[in-house]
Amino acid sequence: MFGLFRGITKISSYFGRRSSPTAFASSLHKGIDIPATPGTNIFAAMSGIVVTANFSGSGGCTVTIINNNISTSYCHVSPNFIVTPGQYIEKGQLIAQVGPKNVYGFENNKYHDSNGNPTNGATTGPHLHFAIKENNIYKNPLDYFDNLK
């Protein structure tokens, strides 16, 4: 979908107000959620510089790419990061894979499932949370796909 996945077309949660699906999840959803099987390849929606490739709170394992005043974030990805901060990425380049629901080894992870196992941020299952900021303000990603460089 939108160059992020090949052959995936479903959005399970849209940008905007919603009921929080899990503890610590916001009722103002700042991106779109695309359900997918762990290991599904994720491709860059735009070219830019990787600024984040680590565990990042409610987003879990996250890759963030910036290009001028626009940043794209790919959350709940595999903890086996493919890219590194400072790396230049081309639009359409493989940057990550969808991560599992549960991840281990992150000391700052306060997110857990009902069995007490650590989760990949505030998540109920495997998916990509895709977010866009312009001038540091969250925007609806669906408004940007034709314009991402």
Side-chain angles (χ1 to χ4, degrees):
M1 162 171 270
F2 319 117
L4 300 173
F5 295 123
R6 301 205 170 119
I8 306 287
T9 58
K10 181 180 178 186
I11 296 175
S12 60
S13 187
Y14 288 84
F15 181 87
R17 295 264 173 227
R18 69 173 183 176
S19 295
S20 297
T22 185
F24 304 111
S26 174
S27 60
L28 175 58
H29 195 224
K30 298 174 183 173
I32 57 173
D33 289 348
I34 305 165
T37 304
T40 301
N41 289 332
I42 302 168
F43 301 92
M46 70 173 195
S47 299
I49 302 291
V50 176
V51 293
T52 302
N54 61 26
F55 190 88
S56 184
S58 65
C61 296
T62 299
V63 171
T64 300
I65 298 171
I66 193 163
N67 185 326
N68 294 319
N69 64 333
I70 296 178
S71 68
T72 52
S73 290
Y74 309 79
C75 302
H76 313 299
V77 303
S78 170
N80 300 317
F81 293 101
I82 295 171
V83 298
T84 57
Q87 182 179 354
Y88 180 79
I89 300 298
E90 293 284 347
K91 180 178 180 177
Q93 182 176 336
L94 176 65
I95 58 165
Q97 294 179 318
V98 173
K101 175 184 175 182
N102 300 103
V103 295
Y104 300 87
F106 297 100
E107 292 181 22
N108 60 339
N109 186 358
K110 68 178 183 179
Y111 303 94
H112 294 83
D113 64 19
S114 59
N115 295 319
N117 296 311
T119 58
N120 196 348
T123 183
T124 58
H127 71 284
L128 170 67
H129 171 86
F130 178 69
I132 292 180
K133 284 185 182 180
E134 183 174 11
N135 296 320
N136 214 29
I137 298 170
Y138 284 101
K139 301 290 185 170
N140 185 345
L142 298 178
D143 295 338
Y144 281 76
F145 282 103
D146 291 337
N147 299 320
L148 293 176
K149 298 177 181 176

